[in-house]
Amino acid sequence: MYAALKVLHLGSLIMWLGPAIGSWLVLRYMQQQEGELSPATAKVYRVFFWTITLEHIALCTLLLSGAAMAFHYGFIAMPWLQQKLWLVLLLIVPLEIVDIWLGNWKVKKLTEKRSRGATLSQREQAMISFYHKGFTNLALITLPLTVLVTMWLAVSKQTLW
């Protein structure tokens, strides 16, 4: 059972990180080449939003499989895992909650509205811009570093301090 949970955990990690980054890179390329308001970019947006839904399902699976291993096999008392959980709960989970709210609801609805021909307000445009620039840049700095540290903790089984 442990091996199956570990495979599920690692597979979820890959599905959480990989497709969303690839999809975002394609969207960014289309925005630069075709423009934000082009029909081609609108199509890529649809795939992008589907992909981040998959990303968030993978994150939930990642968290649940990790919790199952931690509690079922008694790892929760280990200092390296406690440090890993602090990083996950203080950095990754809050970023992902904002990403779910913006990506799966707010920005998705705004881009769909825009694709139907509606004119967005300045505030709505600012929300899309914040998601793609400020928030995404923060995530691109924070998540890879945090994931590397949590992977080091998981592999080495040593604490950071």
Side-chain angles (χ1 to χ4, degrees), residues 16 55-56 59 92-101 143:
W16 171 53
E55 168 198 353
H56 296 128
L59 176 65
I92 293 174
V93 170
L95 277 173
E96 290 297 329
I97 288 170
V98 172
D99 190 38
I100 290 168
W101 177 71
L143 288 177

Side-chain angles (χ1 to χ4, degrees), residues 2 4-5 11 14 34 40 50 53 60 77 82 88-89 93 113 118 127 140 146 157 160:
Y2 175 75
L5 278 173
I14 292 165
E34 300 292 326
W50 180 86
T53 299
C60 290
Q82 292 172 2
V88 169
L89 295 174
V93 170
K113 178 181 172 182
M127 181 67 69
L140 287 172
T146 306
K157 309 287 193 260
L160 296 173

Side-chain angles (χ1 to χ4, degrees), residues 21-100:
I21 290 172
S23 181
W24 177 79
L25 288 170
V26 171
L27 176 61
R28 183 138 172 130
Y29 176 81
M30 290 302 290
Q31 289 168 326
Q32 292 170 351
Q33 297 299 312
E34 300 292 326
E36 178 70 15
L37 303 177
S38 77
T41 302
K43 289 179 183 177
V44 173
Y45 260 114
R46 284 193 290 276
V47 173
F48 172 75
F49 289 124
W50 180 86
T51 305
I52 63 170
T53 299
L54 175 64
E55 168 198 353
H56 296 128
I57 292 169
L59 176 65
C60 290
T61 306
L62 179 67
L63 295 173
L64 290 172
S65 61
M69 286 187 293
F71 289 106
H72 187 67
Y73 295 100
F75 299 145
I76 196 68
M78 297 181 174
W80 66 267
L81 181 60
Q82 292 172 2
Q83 289 182 352
K84 181 179 170 183
L85 289 174
W86 279 113
L87 289 171
V88 169
L89 295 174
L90 292 176
L91 296 173
I92 293 174
V93 170
L95 277 173
E96 290 297 329
I97 288 170
V98 172
D99 190 38
I100 290 168

Side-chain angles (χ1 to χ4, degrees), residues 92-159:
I92 293 174
V93 170
L95 277 173
E96 290 297 329
I97 288 170
V98 172
D99 190 38
I100 290 168
W101 177 71
L102 288 172
N104 291 101
W105 281 287
K106 191 67 175 170
V107 172
K108 180 180 181 186
K109 289 181 183 193
L110 292 174
T111 57
E112 288 171 350
K113 178 181 172 182
R114 186 178 61 194
S115 291
R116 291 189 304 268
T119 303
L120 299 182
S121 70
Q122 190 173 6
R123 183 169 186 220
E124 290 171 326
Q125 287 287 13
M127 181 67 69
I128 292 172
S129 180
F130 168 73
Y131 180 64
H132 287 303
K133 292 185 177 130
F135 176 75
T136 299
N137 289 337
L138 175 66
L140 287 172
I141 292 167
T142 307
L143 288 177
L145 181 60
T146 306
V147 168
L148 285 174
V149 172
T150 59
M151 288 176 71
W152 185 85
L153 287 165
V155 172
S156 71
K157 309 287 193 260
Q158 298 176 22
T159 60

